[in-house]
Amino acid sequence: MDSGHTAWVLVASALVFFMTPGLAFFYGGLVRAKNVVNTIMYSFMSIAVVSIVWVLWGYSLAFTDGGGLNQWVGGFSAFGLSGIGVDADAGGFPELAFICFQLMFAIITPALITGAFVERFKFTTYLVFLVFWITLVYAPVCHWVWGGGWIADLGALDFAGGTVIHVNAGIAAVAAAMLVGKRRNPGVEPHNVPYVVLGAAILWFGWFGFNAGSELAADGVAASAFLVTNTAAAAAALTWGIISQIRTGKMGAVGVATGAVAGLVAITPASGFVGIYGALAIGIGAGVICFICLELMERSGLDDALAVFAVHGVGGAWGAVATGIFCTAAIGGTAGLIDGNAGQVGIQVASVLATTAYSFVLTIAILFVLDKVPGLGLRVSEPDEDVGLDLAAHGERGTVGDGAD
Amino acid sequence: MDSGHTAWVLVASALVFFMTPGLAFFYGGLVRAKNVVNTIMYSFMSIAVVSIVWVLWGYSLAFTDGGGLNQWVGGFSAFGLSGIGVDADAGGFPELAFICFQLMFAIITPALITGAFVERFKFTTYLVFLVFWITLVYAPVCHWVWGGGWIADLGALDFAGGTVIHVNAGIAAVAAAMLVGKRRNPGVEPHNVPYVVLGAAILWFGWFGFNAGSELAADGVAASAFLVTNTAAAAAALTWGIISQIRTGKMGAVGVATGAVAGLVAITPASGFVGIYGALAIGIGAGVICFICLELMERSGLDDALAVFAVHGVGGAWGAVATGIFCTAAIGGTAGLIDGNAGQVGIQVASVLATTAYSFVLTIAILFVLDKVPGLGLRVSEPDEDVGLDLAAHGERGTVGDGAD
Amino acid sequence: MDSGHTAWVLVASALVFFMTPGLAFFYGGLVRAKNVVNTIMYSFMSIAVVSIVWVLWGYSLAFTDGGGLNQWVGGFSAFGLSGIGVDADAGGFPELAFICFQLMFAIITPALITGAFVERFKFTTYLVFLVFWITLVYAPVCHWVWGGGWIADLGALDFAGGTVIHVNAGIAAVAAAMLVGKRRNPGVEPHNVPYVVLGAAILWFGWFGFNAGSELAADGVAASAFLVTNTAAAAAALTWGIISQIRTGKMGAVGVATGAVAGLVAITPASGFVGIYGALAIGIGAGVICFICLELMERSGLDDALAVFAVHGVGGAWGAVATGIFCTAAIGGTAGLIDGNAGQVGIQVASVLATTAYSFVLTIAILFVLDKVPGLGLRVSEPDEDVGLDLAAHGERGTVGDGAD
Amino acid sequence: MLKVEAIVRPERVNEVVAALQDAGCRGFHYENITGQGIQQGVEVVTGRGGRVASRAAMPKTLIVTVISDDMKEAVIEAIVSSARSEGEGAIGDGKIFMSEISDVVRVRTGERGQDAL
Amino acid sequence: MLKVEAIVRPERVNEVVAALQDAGCRGFHYENITGQGIQQGVEVVTGRGGRVASRAAMPKTLIVTVISDDMKEAVIEAIVSSARSEGEGAIGDGKIFMSEISDVVRVRTGERGQDAL
Amino acid sequence: MLKVEAIVRPERVNEVVAALQDAGCRGFHYENITGQGIQQGVEVVTGRGGRVASRAAMPKTLIVTVISDDMKEAVIEAIVSSARSEGEGAIGDGKIFMSEISDVVRVRTGERGQDAL
Ligand SMILES: Nc1ncnc2c1ncn2[C@@H]1O[C@H](COP(=O)(O)OP(=O)(O)O)[C@@H](O)[C@H]1O
Ligand SMILES: Nc1ncnc2c1ncn2[C@@H]1O[C@H](COP(=O)(O)OP(=O)(O)O)[C@@H](O)[C@H]1O
Ligand SMILES: Nc1ncnc2c1ncn2[C@@H]1O[C@H](COP(=O)(O)OP(=O)(O)O)[C@@H](O)[C@H]1O
């Protein structure tokens, strides 16, 4: 085992871990003040719950051989990580490090979904949802792409999880927004813009681990992934800022931060396969496409409160398709549309559509069942929604002054 | 020297450094709004003061040969790090990197203590306290366990500092709370819950460096330590959340964050010695035990304001004992109670008791003396306590609005 | 290529990246509440804009051979990073990683300048300024020192960018403050002290990547740079705190945080060349010198709002000169004044003066031109300044309560 | 002239403000306060999750508008209809306090009394 | 009916609220304000540690309760005894202002006047 | 005794406070509020950069001082001159509301009425 690669995968795991608290602040700043604790806790509890599910059966379902079902899902042979010792090698670094790294992806994916249903979803139901969604949706899709399943066989490229994480979460968000319904009193302004920017900055910082870490080695491709990740995020942030400046005469920080995240999402599947110009194109494309989609969604009847579909669903789909367009053999070994291999785009589209369909149907099914279970249910009561979920679900207020508290 | 190990130890040092500002926010969010700056500054000034003490004589006292006194404390041979050049090797990586890593542990330990006496301790006295406590308490105990002293000889296991850091700080906190007395007007609610969660998240993030870094190499044991750290923290957070939900019908974010920290504390001594199931047991145990202890302490007469004893003292002691129960030869080379080596538990208990006794007596002695020194003293005046230490000690207010500021 | 060195350079790049959001909060906490978003966005948009400029032509101008002009500036041969593949080696690690690392320096430098003109500078003009300043000021100065230009030939030592980054930004800040003029209603107190400390802590954390990363290898010198960085920062923070305590009877957190940053700035050029005692001297010196300078500047007519000149300009100049005083052959290979090589000080002074002159004149020129361009201009309107730039430039308010928002 | 101080639920502010404007009010201001009435307060979790305490502390919003005497009933009607909870109304819906204003000055022009409203 | 506005030290709010309830007050609200009286203000450090400035800015809490006229003295007594500092009292202990309320409306029921208190 | 409530621009608070002190006011308090008058509000960006909404929400500061009746005109003059924008004044400069205070108590001493001011 190589100590440099091991060090890099461990650091990358820590960086990706840090993204989920970053997301907590990104989302937490966007809601109303009375829901900030609740919104933050959605992300934080994903860490707590998914960490347990992953080491018990999640990793096993995603990454072991599923026998006859192997095209669709892994098996239980590594339940409780049985048989994986400190010497197990995952290709130059410990398999335990790979488990850590993959765990962090599993944590952030359902946390992303929460943006769709903040300010009205029942917290205890969410905890149960996490267990089922990781088991029934995340682990299988992860197996398809990275665990030896059918999408991998198809030859689809997904360097760091454009379909597994972002398309998957983005579609599940639509399903959740549909079933939980609209907020009674959506706020007009985010309650804490510095939190939004802090969260976006932590996400960007952690995303270097997400994308460059996905090379699973400290080498030139990792450095390339690092650089294109940054380039695409910058391009998308700038694009979004310019559109916003043109349309409103002002360059809102929330818009720029959203643009950055959209760029990070879009470059994710492509990060090990494209160069600087590909990254610029993907970033600018993400800025334009996600902006338009977000505007359309706001006009739709669906209350995807924090624009998970527009940013992660559409951004991830654009990134997956763009990977097929801009990938170049010199970097990741596979040529794309621009280099004459048009077929790759079709494969990419197929992987997006399959993930979309599967994730949508299963998320609907899980939520439908949880809604019917006595004592659970999806939506909080009207008085709880009015007083805010910080008090209703957590018995806490975000901030309290001295004296008149 | 191995560049991979060196890179890992340097990164781990940076991660552990970041824990102290994380603690600043964890603690800073828990106090009243008028004491947030003061509480944050306790942690921040520990960085400033201990960094100087460590490179001058702290490291030397902890890690050099103490000659005839070597069982108890090191010597002054490395005063000012004399003789330690850029080529000095600490086992595959530079000794200067080891000094950095150990420094970060020395910084956070007294910062942990401050949770006991926030909102009423005199700030200038604290700065003096730091110098004496590191010299007379931390450096010797560190020497006992890691510097070749008597606890190491005994065969006690402490992978990343359960006794050296957490039991040590937890007991010192009791001593400090006893001598400084109760707050006049303790607040009912934390003034800033997002800060508490931000702090807990940064602590968790940094703790990967703390525990996995303590392997001092980028290898399979480091990866294992990383994974069990995360598992125990998640299990404890979830346990605390569930207890809270059952008892109050609500899942307070502050409770969940406290649970996470308790789990991180408890896994610390065990992190290089136990597997996933040991980590789950340690985490769940930490959740239950620290929760009960915290409740009992709140009913006691002692005003350990931010529950340092319950979380770090008791959590650290539980972790040290649990290390003796769950350690397994397959990971760290030593068998524990479950693997048939009951004696290890006894050794672990002895190391906890010795640390407890020494730290308690010396902390009392140091504070007693500082209380008598003219111009110092432990407690601020009543008006200063009422107006808040941000204004009284720092001439600052945490936040100020425009206009009516 | 060495995987350990590669891992270290990639991690260091991520750490330096994180400094800019850290700076955003450091600066953002210091301004009035109505300008917090704007101040944060100055830093955030530097990431977006400079990232694009750097990969297109910035890196090329700074680090390629400039042919006949090579003493002064590089060329365009690496425009769009053409010809730099994943296998390009920069001395044991990928050149793409070096590009990432250097990019992060280029991002933070103009962000530092913004402290001079916050609360009154026109945001859109700033975005244009970024492009010109990186191209005309940063890239050439960077080339002089690190890209094979005349200062490198002179034998000046600048380990991590004391002149390139800090003197450069500090002088540009003076130029900007002169041209944009004074604020109408400067606030008396920072609006958010926790943000200031959070920002300083993130800066300190990231600075380990900045300085120890500048060794571009995971080795003993990197560890030494890590340790002296921490030592100087701690010494300067403590020095500033003590001065403040003596003069005002209180130890303001903002002062201590400023001291820490001044120490970090001053050790930057010296970090790979000096030992612990040199670091202590540089840190204490930074605390005293920058404190005095800051006080003098506040009495001057110049409204350098957030003391960029005193902290970065003067701190950087002191560090550059101190490098010549305290550098020792045992660590970095070059002897300084204390070791009998008085000439080094002269070389250091020359490099500071050249940077000062060039940066000042060109920054004035760029701003002068931008002021005249129709549609741009340097200063916002009086009503915009009064209502605050958060609303005026971004259409946002930093924080909004529920109900009466 | 009358000062009308209405204490309402924070989530109703937008509705109340709209109703006031419809009723002809051209100026008002508001701020967040903490209140207690029949509705005793809120349950907060203390002891880090071990216990619950009841705090005399419901977040409310205070809306203030100064009007001419003849608008009194219209303004009361506007507030009551926009601030009352669906159905029967609910405890905590708020109160309105009225008091005399003896003089008003418009800073910009120096106008006095009724003209300055 | 009377409006009682009491400015007190923030750290006294819990005591004052308890005393008001004992005196029979069933409704009140409060908020944090910044005040200056004889007690001139606070010292803040400026110049990043170089100087001290005095700010006309003491944090205070304003408690407001509307009561019937006959409760006036009991309420004053309740506030004074709970808000005054130990011993002789201290500068900055606060003030109470009283004014007439001409009408009250309970939003929930539409009740008016004394009944709505 | 009179209660003077002045709504002013936040960036003017320091000037207004200084003018009040020059006019002989020895006590006051202030707080930040949100207001709307002729000046309709502010433009905020919504839809993450896609649209602009107008919010009835200008940040204002409310300064309150209780004075004896004879100071009325001096205090008005002090506020108007310090709060009015340069030149002709501008929309949003603020308003002053005056009302009767029937009694005052100084908590520290129990003094009443005029003496307690
Ligand atoms: N006498 C009073 N003086 C001041 N404020 C009051 C008074 N009574 C009620 N309030 C305010 O009105 C709010 C609503 O009162 P509450 O008794 O809960 O309403 P309701 O009578 O409509 O059920 C309270 O939260 C409090 O802020
Ligand atoms: N005339 C006044 N008008 C409005 N508020 C006042 C007035 N006088 C005092 N206050 C408020 O009362 C608080 C206490 O006043 P202060 O003069 O310090 O108290 P004391 O007279 O009890 O020593 C002040 O901080 C201020 O908020
Ligand atoms: N009738 C009113 N009742 C309460 N507050 C008012 C009233 N009219 C104005 N205000 C307050 O005064 C502020 C200034 O009012 P505005 O009409 O903009 O000023 P001007 O008349 O001087 O142009 C408003 O923001 C609002 O807070």
Side-chain angles (χ1 to χ4, degrees):
Chain A
M1 286 194 270
D2 180 290
S3 63
H5 297 334
T6 304
W8 176 235
V9 175
L10 289 178
V11 175
S13 303
L15 288 172
V16 182
F17 169 86
F18 200 35
M19 289 173 71
T20 301
L23 183 72
F25 274 78
F26 183 68
Y27 279 179
L30 287 169
V31 297
R32 310 197 83 174
K34 64 187 173 183
N35 293 313
V36 60
V37 173
N38 182 250
T39 303
I40 286 176
M41 284 304 281
Y42 282 131
S43 291
F44 201 81
M45 288 309 290
S46 180
I47 302 176
V49 172
V50 177
S51 291
I52 307 297
V53 171
W54 194 249
V55 296
L56 290 179
W57 65 81
Y59 176 74
S60 186
L61 281 180
F63 287 98
T64 62
D65 192 301
L69 288 170
N70 195 41
Q71 290 291 82
W72 307 107
V73 69
F76 285 101
S77 62
F79 186 94
L81 307 186
S82 83
I84 305 172
V86 294
D87 297 324
D89 190 323
F93 64 100
E95 184 172 353
L96 289 171
F98 180 69
I99 296 170
C100 292
F101 187 64
Q102 283 294 335
L103 161 61
M104 303 313 172
F105 285 65
I107 286 171
I108 200 168
T109 310
L112 290 172
I113 304 173
T114 65
F117 57 61
V118 288
E119 309 201 281
R120 60 207 192 281
F121 202 83
K122 211 170 152 194
F123 196 71
T124 43
T125 305
Y126 168 68
L127 301 180
V128 179
F129 169 76
L130 280 171
V131 176
F132 286 99
W133 198 83
I134 288 293
T135 308
L136 300 178
V137 183
Y138 185 80
V141 173
C142 182
H143 186 79
W144 297 356
V145 178
W146 292 328
W150 71 273
I151 291 188
D153 284 358
L154 209 64
L157 299 176
D158 188 355
F159 194 71
T163 40
V164 180
I165 285 100
H166 297 287
V167 172
N168 200 350
I171 292 300
V174 173
M178 282 172 58
L179 288 194
V180 77
K182 292 187 187 191
R183 287 168 291 173
R184 284 163 58 81
N185 285 303
V188 175
E189 298 170 84
H191 96 281
N192 196 316
V193 177
Y195 283 3
V196 174
V197 179
L198 177 67
I202 293 176
L203 283 169
W204 194 327
F205 174 58
W207 226 296
F208 292 127
F210 202 90
N211 286 1
S214 288
E215 169 67 0
L216 299 172
D219 61 12
V221 174
S224 175
F226 192 114
L227 192 58
V228 296
T229 297
N230 188 74
T231 304
L238 197 57
T239 303
W240 201 295
I242 291 171
I243 297 176
S244 173
Q245 181 78 37
I246 292 170
R247 291 195 40 143
T248 66
K250 298 183 157 101
M251 195 177 286
V254 170
V256 170
T258 303
V261 173
L264 290 162
V265 166
I267 195 67
T268 295
S271 50
F273 306 117
V274 304
I276 285 304
Y277 290 112
L280 287 172
I282 289 174
I284 294 169
V288 173
I289 295 169
C290 296
F291 181 93
I292 292 171
C293 179
L294 192 149
E295 282 292 301
L296 293 178
M297 284 294 287
E298 298 236 330
R299 267 157 211 147
S300 80
L302 206 68
D303 187 13
D304 174 7
L306 307 183
V308 185
F309 175 70
V311 175
H312 296 275
V314 175
W318 156 243
V321 174
T323 304
I325 301 174
F326 298 107
C327 64
T328 152
I331 293 170
T334 311
L337 177 68
I338 294 213
D339 287 5
N341 175 18
Q344 190 62 38
V345 175
I347 299 175
Q348 297 299 108
V349 170
S351 75
V352 169
L353 293 180
T355 305
T356 301
Y358 182 78
S359 176
F360 186 73
V361 172
L362 260 94
T363 305
I364 292 268
I366 293 170
L367 289 173
F368 184 83
V369 172
L370 294 183
D371 197 16
K372 303 294 175 222
V373 175
L376 294 179
L378 302 186
R379 186 145 184 164
V380 299
S381 69
E382 293 194 354
D384 279 5
E385 186 175 344
D386 284 348
V387 82
L389 299 187
D390 290 1
L391 278 168
H394 308 281
E396 293 172 323
R397 287 179 284 176
T399 49
V400 181
D402 296 320
D405 56 348
Chain B
M1 287 194 268
D2 179 291
S3 62
H5 297 334
T6 303
W8 176 236
V9 175
L10 289 179
V11 175
S13 303
L15 288 172
V16 182
F17 169 86
F18 200 35
M19 289 173 71
T20 302
L23 184 72
F25 275 77
F26 184 69
Y27 279 179
L30 287 168
V31 297
R32 310 198 83 174
K34 64 187 174 184
N35 293 312
V36 60
V37 173
N38 182 249
T39 302
I40 286 176
M41 285 304 282
Y42 281 131
S43 291
F44 201 80
M45 289 309 291
S46 180
I47 302 176
V49 172
V50 178
S51 290
I52 307 297
V53 171
W54 195 248
V55 297
L56 289 180
W57 65 83
Y59 176 74
S60 186
L61 280 180
F63 286 99
T64 63
D65 192 301
L69 286 170
N70 195 38
Q71 289 292 82
W72 307 106
V73 68
F76 285 102
S77 62
F79 186 95
L81 307 187
S82 83
I84 305 173
V86 293
D87 298 323
D89 190 323
F93 64 99
E95 185 172 353
L96 289 171
F98 181 69
I99 296 170
C100 293
F101 187 64
Q102 283 294 333
L103 161 62
M104 302 312 171
F105 284 65
I107 285 171
I108 200 169
T109 310
L112 290 172
I113 304 173
T114 64
F117 57 61
V118 288
E119 308 200 283
R120 60 206 192 279
F121 202 84
K122 210 169 152 194
F123 196 70
T124 44
T125 305
Y126 169 68
L127 300 180
V128 179
F129 169 77
L130 279 171
V131 176
F132 285 99
W133 199 82
I134 287 294
T135 308
L136 300 179
V137 184
Y138 185 81
V141 172
C142 182
H143 186 80
W144 298 356
V145 178
W146 292 330
W150 71 272
I151 292 188
D153 284 358
L154 209 64
L157 299 176
D158 188 356
F159 193 72
T163 41
V164 180
I165 284 101
H166 297 288
V167 172
N168 199 351
I171 293 299
V174 173
M178 282 172 58
L179 288 194
V180 77
K182 292 187 189 191
R183 286 167 292 173
R184 285 163 57 83
N185 284 304
V188 175
E189 298 169 83
H191 96 281
N192 196 317
V193 177
Y195 282 2
V196 174
V197 179
L198 177 67
I202 293 175
L203 283 169
W204 194 327
F205 174 58
W207 226 296
F208 292 127
F210 201 90
N211 286 1
S214 288
E215 169 67 0
L216 299 172
D219 61 13
V221 174
S224 175
F226 192 113
L227 192 58
V228 297
T229 297
N230 188 72
T231 304
L238 197 57
T239 303
W240 201 295
I242 290 169
I243 298 176
S244 174
Q245 182 78 36
I246 292 170
R247 292 197 39 147
T248 66
K250 297 182 158 100
M251 194 175 286
V254 170
V256 170
T258 303
V261 174
L264 290 163
V265 167
I267 195 68
T268 294
S271 50
F273 306 118
V274 304
I276 285 302
Y277 290 111
L280 286 172
I282 288 174
I284 294 169
V288 173
I289 295 170
C290 295
F291 181 93
I292 292 172
C293 179
L294 191 151
E295 282 292 301
L296 293 177
M297 284 294 288
E298 297 235 331
R299 268 156 210 147
S300 80
L302 206 68
D303 187 14
D304 174 7
L306 307 183
V308 186
F309 176 69
V311 175
H312 296 275
V314 174
W318 157 244
V321 174
T323 303
I325 301 174
F326 298 107
C327 63
T328 154
I331 293 169
T334 311
L337 179 68
I338 294 214
D339 286 4
N341 174 18
Q344 189 63 38
V345 175
I347 298 175
Q348 299 297 109
V349 170
S351 75
V352 169
L353 293 180
T355 305
T356 301
Y358 181 78
S359 176
F360 186 73
V361 172
L362 260 95
T363 306
I364 292 270
I366 294 170
L367 289 173
F368 184 84
V369 171
L370 294 183
D371 196 15
K372 303 294 174 222
V373 175
L376 294 180
L378 302 186
R379 187 145 183 163
V380 300
S381 70
E382 293 192 356
D384 278 5
E385 187 175 344
D386 284 349
V387 82
L389 299 187
D390 289 2
L391 277 168
H394 308 281
E396 293 172 323
R397 288 179 284 177
T399 48
V400 181
D402 296 320
D405 56 348
Chain C
M1 288 194 266
D2 180 291
S3 62
H5 297 334
T6 304
W8 176 235
V9 175
L10 289 178
V11 175
S13 303
L15 287 172
V16 182
F17 169 86
F18 201 33
M19 289 174 72
T20 301
L23 183 72
F25 274 78
F26 183 69
Y27 280 178
L30 287 169
V31 297
R32 310 198 84 174
K34 64 187 173 183
N35 293 313
V36 60
V37 173
N38 181 250
T39 303
I40 286 176
M41 284 304 281
Y42 281 132
S43 291
F44 201 80
M45 288 309 290
S46 180
I47 302 176
V49 173
V50 178
S51 290
I52 307 297
V53 171
W54 194 248
V55 296
L56 290 180
W57 64 83
Y59 176 74
S60 186
L61 280 181
F63 286 99
T64 62
D65 192 301
L69 288 170
N70 195 40
Q71 289 291 82
W72 306 106
V73 69
F76 284 101
S77 62
F79 186 94
L81 307 185
S82 82
I84 305 173
V86 293
D87 297 323
D89 191 324
F93 65 99
E95 184 172 353
L96 288 171
F98 180 69
I99 295 171
C100 292
F101 187 64
Q102 283 295 334
L103 161 62
M104 302 312 171
F105 285 65
I107 287 170
I108 200 169
T109 310
L112 291 172
I113 304 173
T114 64
F117 57 62
V118 288
E119 309 200 282
R120 60 207 191 281
F121 201 83
K122 209 168 153 195
F123 196 70
T124 42
T125 305
Y126 169 68
L127 300 180
V128 179
F129 170 76
L130 280 171
V131 176
F132 286 99
W133 198 83
I134 288 294
T135 308
L136 301 178
V137 184
Y138 185 80
V141 172
C142 182
H143 186 79
W144 297 356
V145 178
W146 292 329
W150 70 273
I151 291 189
D153 283 358
L154 208 65
L157 299 176
D158 188 355
F159 194 71
T163 40
V164 180
I165 285 101
H166 297 289
V167 171
N168 200 350
I171 292 300
V174 173
M178 281 172 58
L179 287 195
V180 76
K182 290 188 189 191
R183 286 168 292 173
R184 285 163 56 82
N185 285 303
V188 175
E189 297 169 84
H191 96 281
N192 195 316
V193 177
Y195 282 3
V196 175
V197 180
L198 177 66
I202 293 175
L203 283 169
W204 194 327
F205 173 58
W207 226 296
F208 292 127
F210 201 92
N211 286 0
S214 287
E215 170 66 0
L216 298 172
D219 61 13
V221 173
S224 176
F226 193 114
L227 192 59
V228 297
T229 297
N230 189 73
T231 304
L238 198 57
T239 302
W240 200 297
I242 290 170
I243 297 175
S244 174
Q245 181 78 38
I246 291 170
R247 292 198 38 146
T248 65
K250 297 183 159 100
M251 194 175 285
V254 171
V256 170
T258 303
V261 174
L264 289 163
V265 167
I267 195 68
T268 294
S271 51
F273 305 118
V274 304
I276 286 303
Y277 290 112
L280 286 171
I282 289 174
I284 295 169
V288 173
I289 294 170
C290 295
F291 181 93
I292 292 172
C293 180
L294 191 149
E295 282 292 303
L296 293 178
M297 283 293 288
E298 297 236 331
R299 266 158 214 147
S300 80
L302 206 69
D303 187 13
D304 174 7
L306 307 182
V308 186
F309 176 69
V311 174
H312 296 276
V314 175
W318 156 244
V321 174
T323 303
I325 301 176
F326 298 108
C327 64
T328 153
I331 293 169
T334 311
L337 177 68
I338 294 214
D339 286 5
N341 175 19
Q344 190 63 38
V345 175
I347 299 175
Q348 298 298 110
V349 170
S351 75
V352 169
L353 293 181
T355 305
T356 302
Y358 182 78
S359 176
F360 186 74
V361 172
L362 260 93
T363 307
I364 292 269
I366 294 170
L367 290 173
F368 184 83
V369 171
L370 294 183
D371 197 15
K372 303 295 174 223
V373 175
L376 294 179
L378 302 187
R379 187 147 182 161
V380 300
S381 70
E382 293 193 355
D384 279 4
E385 186 175 345
D386 284 348
V387 82
L389 299 187
D390 289 2
L391 278 168
H394 309 282
E396 293 172 322
R397 287 179 284 177
T399 50
V400 180
D402 296 319
D405 55 349
Chain D
M1 290 161 293
L2 274 180
K3 172 154 83 165
V4 181
E5 296 177 286
I7 296 166
V8 302
R9 298 178 186 278
E11 61 270 22
R12 289 288 172 141
V13 168
N14 292 341
E15 282 90 338
V16 177
V17 161
L20 282 175
Q21 287 179 310
D22 288 349
C25 257
R26 280 167 312 168
F28 46 84
H29 58 264
Y30 42 85
E31 65 189 290
N32 288 328
I33 59 167
T34 304
Q36 180 181 350
I38 298 174
Q39 189 190 25
Q40 282 293 313
V42 291
E43 289 218 320
V44 296
V45 170
T46 64
R48 309 242 185 141
R51 276 156 292 133
V52 169
S54 190
R55 304 283 291 152
M58 284 303 293
K60 297 281 170 192
T61 299
L62 173 67
I63 305 184
V64 180
T65 179
V66 177
I67 55 173
S68 57
D69 295 347
D70 55 337
M71 289 174 67
K72 179 177 169 184
E73 293 305 320
V75 165
I76 289 177
E77 173 53 27
I79 296 173
V80 167
S81 61
S82 58
R84 190 186 282 170
S85 295
E86 287 89 351
E88 298 283 87
I91 285 178
D93 276 352
K95 290 198 180 164
I96 310 174
F97 301 111
M98 253 133 319
S99 53
E100 293 290 325
I101 286 291
S102 56
D103 203 358
V104 180
V105 184
R106 188 191 303 271
V107 169
R108 173 164 51 98
T109 56
E111 280 161 292
R112 282 291 182 94
Q114 199 81 20
D115 297 343
L117 276 189
Chain E
M1 291 161 291
L2 273 180
K3 173 154 83 165
V4 181
E5 296 178 286
I7 295 166
V8 301
R9 297 178 184 279
E11 61 269 23
R12 289 288 171 141
V13 168
N14 291 342
E15 283 89 339
V16 176
V17 161
L20 281 175
Q21 287 179 309
D22 288 349
C25 256
R26 281 167 311 167
F28 46 83
H29 58 264
Y30 41 85
E31 65 189 290
N32 288 327
I33 59 169
T34 304
Q36 180 182 349
I38 298 175
Q39 190 189 22
Q40 281 294 313
V42 291
E43 289 217 321
V44 296
V45 170
T46 63
R48 310 241 184 142
R51 275 154 295 134
V52 169
S54 190
R55 303 285 290 152
M58 284 303 295
K60 297 280 170 192
T61 299
L62 173 68
I63 304 185
V64 179
T65 179
V66 176
I67 56 174
S68 57
D69 294 348
D70 55 337
M71 289 174 67
K72 179 179 169 182
E73 293 304 321
V75 164
I76 289 176
E77 173 53 27
I79 295 172
V80 167
S81 62
S82 59
R84 189 186 283 171
S85 296
E86 288 89 353
E88 298 283 88
I91 285 178
D93 277 351
K95 290 197 179 164
I96 310 175
F97 300 111
M98 251 134 319
S99 53
E100 293 291 324
I101 285 291
S102 56
D103 203 357
V104 180
V105 184
R106 189 189 302 272
V107 170
R108 171 164 52 97
T109 56
E111 280 161 292
R112 284 290 183 92
Q114 200 79 22
D115 297 342
L117 276 189
Chain F
M1 291 160 294
L2 273 181
K3 174 154 83 165
V4 180
E5 297 177 286
I7 295 167
V8 302
R9 298 179 185 277
E11 61 269 22
R12 289 289 171 141
V13 168
N14 291 341
E15 282 89 339
V16 177
V17 161
L20 281 175
Q21 286 179 311
D22 288 350
C25 256
R26 280 167 313 167
F28 46 83
H29 58 264
Y30 42 85
E31 66 190 288
N32 288 327
I33 59 168
T34 303
Q36 180 182 350
I38 298 175
Q39 190 189 24
Q40 281 294 312
V42 290
E43 288 218 321
V44 296
V45 170
T46 64
R48 311 242 184 141
R51 275 155 293 134
V52 170
S54 189
R55 302 285 291 152
M58 283 303 294
K60 297 280 170 191
T61 299
L62 173 67
I63 305 185
V64 180
T65 180
V66 177
I67 55 174
S68 57
D69 294 347
D70 56 336
M71 290 174 66
K72 179 179 168 183
E73 293 304 322
V75 164
I76 289 177
E77 173 53 28
I79 296 172
V80 167
S81 61
S82 59
R84 190 184 284 169
S85 294
E86 289 88 352
E88 298 282 88
I91 285 178
D93 278 351
K95 290 199 180 162
I96 310 175
F97 300 110
M98 252 134 321
S99 52
E100 293 290 325
I101 285 291
S102 57
D103 204 358
V104 180
V105 184
R106 189 190 301 273
V107 170
R108 172 163 52 96
T109 56
E111 280 162 291
R112 282 292 182 92
Q114 198 80 21
D115 297 343
L117 277 188

